């Protein structure tokens, strides 16, 4: 089945130690997104790619970076994780359906910062 | 981004219909109305979207007010698996489908 895969599902890192979260897709969608979801909150968009064009949300901290080496893969790098970065990180892809986009989400990676 | 107002929570019994309301009075003319849901410990899942006309799919129906300032997601027969947070999200037609999630409605389904 075509899908959005996130690895690992659970990640523990130390305060200040760089960490990379991975996302891959078999849907061949040209748009990919990263969201952050803290406990009991709604998902918050960090950035998205249209093909290789990167679009950063205005309030995304500089501590968060992303790479998309090809259509299938996208990475979220947190350069110096703080305790406040503990959250679920969701990757999504989308395709144009009619004149709007339908997003497909992965299961998320839960990041713990110790 | 258009602001939305949804009830914090709703309850239903299994096999009964559920009507989830959403107010989006500041919606722009080009914004679609999207509904996503998030089951516990999972990523959000697309449910349905529409622009002006009512829409039906295998999961739900979407009723859109004539002035587009409100909409209602209808689950025709709730099941236990429908217990989730339901998000009403105007937008998505531009900026490559960017979605701004509000707080959503927590739906509880009782057996």
């Amino acid at each position: 089945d075509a899908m959005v895969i996130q690895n690992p599902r659970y990640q523990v890192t130390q305060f200040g130690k760089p960490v990379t979260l991975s996302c891959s897709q078999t849907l061949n969608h040209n748009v990919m997104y990263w969201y952050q979801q803290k406990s009991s909150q709604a998902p918050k968009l960090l950035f998205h790619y249209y093909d290789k064009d990167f679009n950063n949300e205005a309030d995304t901290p500089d501590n968060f970076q992303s790479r998309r080496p090809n259509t299938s893969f996208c990475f979220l790098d947190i350069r110096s994780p703080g305790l406040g970065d503990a959250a679920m990180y969701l990757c999504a892809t989308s395709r144009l359906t009619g004149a709007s986009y339908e997003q497909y989400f992965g299961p998320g990676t839960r990041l713990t910062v110790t | 981004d258009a602001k939305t107002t949804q009830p914090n929570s709703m309850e239903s019994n299994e096999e009964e219909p559920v009507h989830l309301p959403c107010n989006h009075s500041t919606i722009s003319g080009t914004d679609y109305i999207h509904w996503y849901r998030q089951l516990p410990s999972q990523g959000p899942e697309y449910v349905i979207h529409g622009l002006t006309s009512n829409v039906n799919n295998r999961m739900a129906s979407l009723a859109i007010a004539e002035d587009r300032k409100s909409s209602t997601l209808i689950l025709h027969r709730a099941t236990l698996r429908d217990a989730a947070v339901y998000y009403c999200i105007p937008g998505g037609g531009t900026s490559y489908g960017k979605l701004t999630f509000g707080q959503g409605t927590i739906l509880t389904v009782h057996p």
Side-chain angles (χ1 to χ4, degrees), chain A residues 20-38:
Chain A
T20 295
L21 308 182
S22 301
C23 177
S24 64
Q25 57 139 333
T26 60
L27 297 161
N28 203 32
H29 290 170
N30 53 4
V31 191
M32 293 188 77
Y33 313 80
W34 279 104
Y35 291 84
Q36 178 192 61
Q37 186 173 25
K38 295 186 177 181

Side-chain angles (χ1 to χ4, degrees), chain B residues 62-81:
Chain B
L62 176 59
I64 302 171
E66 195 169 333
D67 63 5
R68 295 195 352 110
K69 293 184 177 181
S70 66
S71 61
T72 302
L73 179 71
I74 303 164
L75 307 179
H76 295 285
R77 293 179 66 194
T79 69
L80 297 178
R81 195 193 170 278

Side-chain angles (χ1 to χ4, degrees), chain B residues 20 44 49 74 95:
Chain B
L20 297 163
H49 77 279
I74 303 164
S95 299

Side-chain angles (χ1 to χ4, degrees), chain A residues 51-109:
Chain A
D51 292 328
K52 282 195 173 285
D53 290 337
F54 176 72
N55 298 272
N56 199 35
E57 291 301 295
D59 56 356
T60 298
D62 292 340
N63 199 26
F64 291 84
Q65 303 287 320
S66 184
R67 295 169 284 136
R68 187 178 186 187
N70 54 51
T71 299
S72 300
F73 288 88
C74 196
F75 301 97
L76 171 62
D77 301 308
I78 308 176
R79 293 192 297 189
S80 181
L83 298 179
D85 296 327
M88 175 75 81
Y89 290 88
L90 296 160
C91 174
T93 72
S94 76
R95 66 185 176 101
L96 197 59
T97 305
S100 184
Y101 288 82
E102 176 181 330
Q103 291 194 20
Y104 294 77
F105 284 80
T109 294

Side-chain angles (χ1 to χ4, degrees), chain B residues 37-52:
Chain B
R37 71 180 185 182
Q38 188 171 22
L39 279 64
S41 302
Q42 296 188 25
E45 175 186 30
Y46 167 84
V47 177
I48 199 166
H49 77 279
L51 185 61
T52 55

